Amino acid sequence: MRLFLFAIGGTGARVLKSLTMLAMAGVRPVDDKGRPLKDFELVPVMIDPHRAGEDNKRTEALLADYRSTRLSLYGNDLNADGFFAMRISNLRDITGSAGHTLPTGFAMNLRSVENKRFGEFIGFDTMNEPDRALTQLLFAPYQLDNKMNIGFVGSPNIGAVALTEVCHSPEFKAFAAAFRPGDRIFFVSSIFGGTGAAGFPILVKNIRQAATLEGTDNRDALSRAPIGGLTVLPYFNLEQRRDDERIQAADFVIKTQSALHYYNTALTGEQDAQVNAIFYLGDRQRSLPYRYDPGEHGQRNNAHLVEMVGALAPLKFAGIPDDRLSDADGNPLPQTAAFEYALAEDTTQVHFVDIVAPSRSLIYKPLVALYHLRLFLNNGFEKLIGQGFTLDKPRITGDMLSAQFYRTLKEHLLEDYATWLAEMDDNMRSVQLFDPEVDGDMTNAVRGVEPKKGLLHRKSVNINTYKAAMNRLSMGDRYATNTPEQKLLDLFYRASQRVVDNNLEPL
């Protein structure tokens, strides 16, 4: 199964970043029996005219590093286990770009939008007098003057007009050409802004009415595609600028109410559902106020719990059985399946234990393994080269330390992971999963989780704990046909499962 994930606007980019962090750790979608889905591939497409936004750039860079690292580990194999298990591909990867002019990354080029002001885009200056008067009733002067390469700055009425062009883009046509029966589509967007609130219903409409899109492939399969969506309600605050009226945090709730009413009519209404499953997520405990940047330098928000939880929604959707989404003819069931999320405990300091059991069982061990891997590589791995498991075939030598794979993993991906965790920690609802002060001694690295009691004292977790576990697991010819990089990451991942089970109290 391919899951085409359209991440719309800034919230879409930030949720996609969290999903990539989970995938780095080895989190994968599972079926209704808890088994990892086989032959699963995630194909993200970022949709935002504000390409220069810092949140968009950070997500694109993370995806590029993830993609190159996974290719080095597993090639094009869809099924893997451990770190980077989930295959994440862009449209060029799955189409070979044949017949299409596609970017090498994951973002859609909105060429007809991003270099114009909104008034120019709709031809305001060439309108006759009655049309100009009507347009001025529908759009404020600052909206007509809005540079669309900075996004739609909280104006879904702008986005609703501008994003109609998406279905004519090379990326949309490539997506349609690659789509097959059995694939699914998922949208991630906020409902209280501009780009996401407008983009979600427009794209669903285009897909459901694919028969009318001339020059588009697989139109029947598209029109029956299982579609899910994460609708993110207000969850963050913005510092207000008196000199800029375009986005006001005080308007978020009003915009949400209006959009929910429209979504109920156009997307999830009883007997006429256009979306198979909808996930609602927000937080009344708003974030610390983020610096408001309407586009000149690029919005950059700290990572948030809502985004991490939101990243679980497309994985949940991928694992829902077909008969709970569609009828025997492949059409959406009359009523959209709706999902909400709640913490096990409404606390402003979130530990793993505060995350409800199904979600915790999916992410706990992988996130701990990735955090321990960072500590392991930063605090002693280099000194282990030439000892124990590094001498078993294939040998791990000092050459690995200067290789591009290792440098990308250690200096980029794992540091991005640490930054992501630190940003979630430094928020009003603080996500306190790990102790950032821990280094080589990992015994108390996981907040809220005690080490197990040993015969005389509590067990410890450190570099030597992992060295011993990896030495035992490395014996024999298990890794003889692997590369040193594959061996290192698989060995550490398997060792982490034992270390967590044997040395830490269960959650």
Side-chain angles (χ1 to χ4, degrees):
M1 175 205 299
R2 280 180 179 148
L3 179 65
F4 292 89
L5 190 152
F6 291 91
I8 310 175
T11 298
R14 290 187 290 273
V15 172
L16 179 55
K17 178 177 69 175
S18 290
L19 178 55
T20 309
M21 295 295 179
L22 297 182
M24 282 169 51
V27 177
R28 289 176 289 169
V30 297
D31 62 20
D32 55 341
K33 294 182 173 60
R35 301 168 301 196
L37 293 185
K38 290 188 176 181
D39 301 325
F40 179 80
E41 184 174 21
L42 181 72
V43 186
V45 181
M46 298 170 62
I47 300 178
D48 195 339
H50 190 194
R51 291 286 301 278
E54 288 299 316
D55 287 329
N56 288 329
K57 289 193 293 186
R58 289 202 292 174
T59 300
E60 282 199 79
L62 178 68
L63 283 167
D65 285 339
Y66 181 102
R67 175 179 172 274
S68 65
T69 300
R70 193 192 187 280
L71 279 171
S72 296
L73 288 171
Y74 309 117
N76 293 320
D77 192 352
L78 291 175
N79 299 303
D81 189 33
F83 300 122
F84 301 93
M86 189 192 306
R87 178 167 162 82
I88 299 181
S89 306
N90 59 35
L91 289 172
R92 182 182 284 267
D93 292 331
I94 64 174
T95 62
S97 70
H100 302 285
T101 303
L102 296 175
T104 57
F106 293 85
M108 180 177 286
N109 286 321
L110 300 175
R111 299 172 186 86
S112 62
V113 172
E114 55 193 20
N115 295 320
K116 297 180 180 179
R117 297 178 184 274
F118 181 63
E120 179 186 0
F121 177 77
I122 62 174
F124 179 76
D125 291 338
T126 62
M127 291 179 181
N128 58 37
E129 200 60 40
D131 287 346
R132 285 169 65 95
L134 177 61
T135 301
Q136 288 172 319
L137 284 174
L138 296 174
F139 302 100
Y142 73 84
Q143 293 177 321
L144 292 171
D145 196 47
N146 184 70
K147 297 177 182 178
M148 291 194 292
N149 64 348
I150 64 170
F152 305 130
V153 287
S155 300
N157 52 339
I158 294 180
V161 176
L163 290 177
T164 56
E165 297 296 313
V166 167
C167 65
H168 304 298
S169 68
E171 292 88 348
F172 188 89
K173 292 183 182 299
F175 145 69
F179 190 87
R180 296 290 182 270
D183 293 343
R184 295 183 180 183
I185 301 167
F186 198 86
F187 294 93
V188 178
S189 60
S190 72
I191 200 171
F192 56 93
T195 308
F200 179 28
I202 287 173
L203 289 169
V204 170
K205 177 182 176 182
N206 283 327
I207 291 169
R208 287 291 181 232
Q209 298 178 3
T212 65
L213 298 177
E214 294 296 332
T216 300
D217 296 330
N218 299 317
R219 288 183 284 178
D220 183 63
L222 272 181
S223 66
R224 298 169 184 267
I227 297 177
L230 170 67
T231 295
V232 182
L233 285 71
Y235 70 97
F236 64 78
N237 268 328
L238 289 174
E239 294 177 354
Q240 293 306 132
R241 284 173 44 171
R242 295 180 180 179
D243 61 334
D244 196 318
E245 60 178 313
R246 286 177 286 181
I247 295 182
Q248 300 289 331
D251 295 337
F252 286 170
V253 173
I254 296 173
K255 289 181 178 181
T256 297
Q257 290 173 334
S258 299
L260 282 173
H261 178 75
Y262 174 73
Y263 281 20
N264 183 58
T265 301
L267 297 177
T268 62
E270 291 186 13
Q271 308 306 317
D272 189 28
Q274 301 298 306
V275 176
N276 302 69
I278 189 83
F279 295 76
Y280 295 108
L281 184 63
D283 196 351
R284 292 181 180 177
Q285 177 67 61
R286 300 294 176 83
S287 71
L288 294 172
Y290 297 148
R291 184 177 66 85
Y292 168 40
D293 188 329
E296 287 83 351
H297 303 96
Q299 190 70 39
R300 175 176 173 140
N301 295 357
N302 274 357
H304 192 282
L305 172 65
V306 161
E307 296 152 10
M308 183 183 77
V309 172
L312 298 174
L315 303 182
K316 169 77 173 178
F317 176 70
I320 298 175
D322 290 335
D323 60 7
R324 289 179 53 194
L325 296 173
S326 308
D327 62 21
D329 295 323
N331 297 308
L333 295 177
Q335 189 166 359
T336 299
F339 300 86
E340 296 179 326
Y341 191 91
L343 292 172
E345 182 74 25
D346 186 7
T347 175
T348 57
Q349 296 180 336
V350 179
H351 298 155
F352 277 114
V353 71
D354 301 309
I355 299 172
V356 290
S359 300
R360 186 171 68 242
S361 66
L362 193 66
I363 68 173
Y364 170 57
K365 286 186 179 180
L367 290 183
V368 171
L370 192 63
Y371 196 74
H372 280 182
L373 176 65
R374 176 176 176 270
L375 296 176
F376 179 80
L377 296 185
N378 287 345
N379 296 283
F381 166 62
E382 297 179 10
K383 296 178 181 178
L384 298 181
I385 293 178
Q387 306 175 36
F389 68 88
T390 69
L391 297 176
D392 298 326
K393 294 181 181 181
R395 293 189 64 174
I396 296 174
T397 68
D399 291 343
M400 177 186 286
L401 305 180
S402 59
Q404 186 62 52
F405 173 90
Y406 184 81
R407 289 165 51 201
T408 298
L409 174 67
K410 182 181 177 183
E411 298 171 14
H412 294 176
L413 290 165
L414 292 178
E415 290 311 303
D416 286 345
Y417 179 55
T419 299
W420 177 69
L421 291 168
E423 288 181 359
M424 287 197 296
D425 193 337
D426 185 27
N427 225 316
M428 191 67 78
R429 192 184 291 278
S430 176
V431 182
Q432 300 179 354
L433 303 183
F434 302 103
D435 185 345
E437 302 301 321
V438 165
D439 45 34
D441 184 357
M442 312 174 202
T443 305
N444 297 303
V446 186
R447 285 172 163 169
V449 179
E450 293 288 331
K452 282 185 175 179
K453 292 181 180 179
L455 195 60
L456 300 176
H457 49 72
R458 289 191 177 273
K459 295 183 178 181
S460 61
V461 180
N462 52 43
I463 303 298
N464 289 328
T465 311
Y466 271 99
K467 176 185 174 183
M470 294 169 78
N471 284 345
R472 288 192 295 271
L473 291 169
S474 180
M475 292 178 180
D477 295 328
R478 176 184 177 89
Y479 294 103
T481 60
N482 293 108
T483 66
E485 292 79 9
Q486 291 170 335
K487 171 186 168 181
L488 174 63
L489 290 197
D490 186 73
L491 195 54
F492 190 92
Y493 190 86
R494 293 172 62 220
S496 74
Q497 310 305 298
R498 292 194 177 188
V499 169
V500 169
D501 287 341
N502 295 338
N503 293 59
L504 300 180
E505 292 288 355
L507 285 180

